[in-house]
Amino acid sequence: MVSEYSESRQVQRQLYQSKKARRKREVRKEKTGVSSIAMNLVWLVLLLIVCIQGSTEAASRPAVVNVGAMFAAGSINGKVLKIAIGAAGNDVNADPSILGKTKLSISFHDSNYSGFLGLIGALRYMESDTFAILGPQNSVMAHILAHLANDLRVPLLSVTALDPTLASLQYPYFIQTAPNDQSQMAAIADIVSYFGWSEVIAIFTDDDNSRNGVAALGDKLAEKRHKISYKAVLPPDPTPTREDVKKLLIKVRMMESRVIILHTFSKSGLLVFDVAKELGMMESGYVWIATTWLSTVLDSTSPLSSKTASSIQGALTLRPHTPDSKRKRDFIARWNELSNGTIGLNPYGLYAYDTVWMLAHAIDLLFEQGGSIAFSNITSTGPIGGLKGGTLNLGALSIFQGGKLLLDNILRTNTTGLTGPVAFHPDRSLLNPSYEIINTNENGYQTTGYWSNYSGISLVPPEKLFNRSKANHSLDTVVWPGGTTVKPRGWVFPNNGEKLRIGVPNRVSFRDFVSRTSGTDVVEGYCIEIFVAAIKLLPYAVPYRFVLFGDGLKNPSYNELVNMVASGKFDAAVGDIAIVTNRTRTVDFTQPYIESGLVVVAPVRGSNSAWTFLKPFSSFMWGVTAFFFLVIGLVIWILEHRKNDEFRGPPRKQLVTILWFSFSTMFFAHRENIGSTLGRTVLIIWLFVVLVINSSYTASLTSMLTVQQLSSPITGIDTLITSTAPIGFQIGSFAQSYLVEQLNIPKSRLVPLGSPEAYATALKDKTVAAVVDERAYIELFLSENCKFSIRGSEFTKSGWGFAFPRDSPLAIDMSTAILTLSENGDLQKICASETSDIVSDQLQLQSFWGLFLIAGAVCFIALLIHLFSVLRQFKRHTPEAEDHSEPSSHGNISSRSTLTHLLTFLSFVDEKRDESKRNKSKRKRNESVVPNVNEKEDDQSVRSASKRIQINNSQEMRRADSDTWPTPTT
């Protein structure tokens, strides 16, 4: 039973599971059918949507898109633009991937340099449902048409109307598709800064384009601390007359600057160069920088006439830089076929070609976006007829409904064209504009470098420049007007026949620095010598005259002197003028030629130390004095050694004698007696020198040790500020304003002082506790007043320089000259000659060199006389020694070597001379000779007697000199 039950339960379970599985299959099948039906419905809906959209798009795309183009067909750029735009339109229509079956229709209008015809042409385009207008060519018309474009929502795209003001938000529908003059003027400003010119002259046409471009140039130059010194305006087109240009350039030639920026059009520009060549303004010294108009002439007009090529030699110009690419090379190869060889291609043709493609892509995107291509008419204001070729009906003007979307599509362009990457910044300026810097020469022109807004000036193209290292920040060699490669100075003195007026302070104190020679107008002093030496180093002549400033009764105000330079009453100021902040705001200073900060001088207690006794003499003076003591001792020993027993003995004793005798003369305490006349002469002169040295030393040391009466608690500027004592300052210096304005010292504490004598009197009388003045003045004051001293260190750091008007190029050249003086040592020599008496209170060798010279000369003469005397005695004794020697050895004596003779001479010099024995020997010899001479014998007796006398005489001499005459050895 159990087994049957379990079997029945198992069968039921299997039946249940099979029913459950079948039910799942049925449910899954139902779901699959529903999902397939849903998918079919979705595909059907999508297909309907695509078909509807395609039919709508096909219906919304017109068969033709009208685009207008405006330019002056007779101009260089007009010819190039017409060819480039026509080629681009054909290439767009030949590419079905751009507009599909829609054709781009570009109509051309010749404005013929006329603003009126340009306006009429634009209005006609507005009547004919035009999507966009390529143009106008010049900025004058662009300012007018931009307002119309704003109202009718028709984008204007121009590659040649490059006025920087047209990029403003005032003209949202005007787009510059080539780099505008803002970037071009930034490039010119960088070139001016690179060559170090401070001022330029701008020659430009008096229209919106040139005028606003020069305004942008002025802003870019100001950013680099340069400026336009003169603006010369040319009459607008049509081309100005030759006489107008000549009058203008004669005025320019009278100006100081020689750097000329020429911003105009091709016809006017070439005329300016031609007249400049005639006036000698294309010679050495001039710099001409032309804007891009000249590069378009070089590119599109070939070959240039010999006259034109000669007139522009040495000029610099800019050309928009377009990176090399295969598409660009292919288009350049096509150009001769497109232009039939009538004109050359310039970069603006490339930008025009890219502009057409940019517009075509934007229109194509407009169609894809389903943008409105409808035009709505504005309210009619009545017909205006009478125009050749038709009537003008302002009521027919229409607003482009899709203009805003088309404008946005253009500004969002991000592609690559013949000119490289094509994209716009948020301010609607082109991405990374760049230029080639071109130098015209006798062979045509050469590229000397590049400029871009992100890399600046460089030798390599910007697209190949990966860093802004200084090695790249340079230009190739430039051939300037006149054929020179030497960078022009860029300025000359104006041709007005007047000398520079140099203001000089008429000081009444510290006249060593700058002063007027009494009774004359001659100015002299340390500062004047520096100025004259520096101006002689300039590579050009500078005519100048000094003009005294001040009444001569008190020191003038230096702030007033500097302000007179800033106002133009003086062309420069020379003197002890401190370079301080408030003065640098109005004038330019040269490199400081002397460092001089403010210091505090006050009475102080004498500072005595363990080595004070060494201070009266300088170290060099001590050394020379010690040297002469030793020299005198040695000279006296040489003169007395042969005759004076006190200067003889063992070597050690003689050395001690020399040293003792030398230094004992300092106190006149020498014990040795001097026997020779020469020794006494030398000693007398030396004792006189010692007397003078001792007296000077005693007086100086006494002064140092006894100047202790006055003392001051002032230890520096900090203690001076915290005290309430009065402070002295020099009249006319900047010390007063600094103490009041910077240190907040009450003006009531300040006491004006006019001279070093007033300093000393005020400090001694305690009228002031201290004097604050510049270090240069204080050092001169302390050279004559040893009772005062500088307390603390300098609390300002400044210097003296020469003042010139702001942006004066002479200030830069004079700074260079001052640095040259410093490097070659001339500045230090002038300083030393002016301040040789300001060094210290120590006694220098200069005060005693005359005495030392006399003592040295006497020693030299005495030694010379002594040497001649010894040589004479040595010669006298040499024959006696030879006669006394054996005959057989006579040959050996005569063949003695030079060394033996020298040793013999030294032995002779070292011997002691006994004058009493020598005199006795001479008397005996004379007594034995006289009787034999008086006897009258025959010749044989005389010869025998003479021989005996010689033998006796020789024996006596040997006995007399046995104690001193050494036996020579061979």
Side-chain angles (χ1 to χ4, degrees), residues 4 7 178 245 269 443 572 606 770 834 890:
E4 291 179 357
E7 290 178 357
V245 174
N443 298 321
E834 293 292 330
H890 180 76

Side-chain angles (χ1 to χ4, degrees), residues 43 105 147 171 181 243 262 288 291 393 407 423 469 523 542 602 661 734 788 801 891 924 947:
W43 281 111
S105 175
H147 292 285
Y171 310 108
D181 287 345
E243 190 63 27
L262 184 56
W288 288 84
T291 50
N393 184 5
L407 175 66
S469 66
V523 184
V542 180
F661 183 84
F734 76 98
F788 313 102
K924 288 181 181 180
K947 187 174 183 179

Side-chain angles (χ1 to χ4, degrees), residues 639 642-643 678 861-877 905 908-909 913 915:
L639 297 177
R642 300 190 71 222
K643 300 177 181 180
L678 293 176
I861 293 172
L863 288 175
L864 209 58
I865 295 173
H866 179 69
L867 178 61
F868 285 139
S869 176
V870 173
L871 286 174
R872 185 172 55 84
Q873 294 172 10
F874 178 71
K875 288 182 179 181
R876 184 184 303 163
H877 285 279
F905 175 72
F908 176 76
V909 170
R913 299 290 292 169
E915 294 296 333

Side-chain angles (χ1 to χ4, degrees), residues 71-74 109-115 117-118:
F71 41 78
H109 175 76
D110 182 7
S111 63
N112 196 25
Y113 303 102
S114 171
L117 291 179

Side-chain angles (χ1 to χ4, degrees), residues 494-525:
N495 189 19
N496 53 19
E498 294 184 1
K499 296 180 178 180
L500 291 181
R501 297 158 300 168
I502 309 295
V504 177
N506 189 9
R507 295 192 59 90
V508 296
S509 63
F510 297 107
R511 294 169 59 85
D512 291 348
F513 296 108
V514 58
S515 63
R516 172 186 180 183
T517 303
S518 179
T520 67
D521 290 332
V522 178
V523 184
E524 59 185 5

Side-chain angles (χ1 to χ4, degrees), residues 46 50 84 193 202 220 226 260-261 362 367 385 395 425 449 480 541 715 739 793 818 825 848 875 911 960:
L46 290 175
V50 170
S193 179
K220 294 299 181 180
H226 308 303
I260 302 171
I261 312 298
F367 293 157
H425 288 293
W480 303 102
T715 59
L739 293 173
S793 59
I818 290 172
F848 302 96
K875 288 182 179 181
E911 74 175 355

Side-chain angles (χ1 to χ4, degrees), residues 489 491 530-540 542 572-574 579 584 587-595 800-805 807-824 827:
R489 191 170 69 248
W491 68 277
I530 294 293
F531 176 79
V532 172
I535 214 165
K536 288 180 180 178
L537 293 178
L538 298 181
Y540 47 87
V542 180
V574 172
I579 305 173
T584 58
V587 298
D588 284 346
F589 281 93
T590 61
Q591 172 79 15
Y593 58 87
I594 188 173
E595 300 294 332
W800 291 353
F802 305 135
F804 292 89
D807 302 321
S808 171
L810 190 57
I812 300 174
D813 290 352
M814 285 293 288
S815 294
T816 304
I818 290 172
L819 288 174
T820 303
L821 287 174
S822 178
E823 291 171 358
N824 62 23
L827 185 64

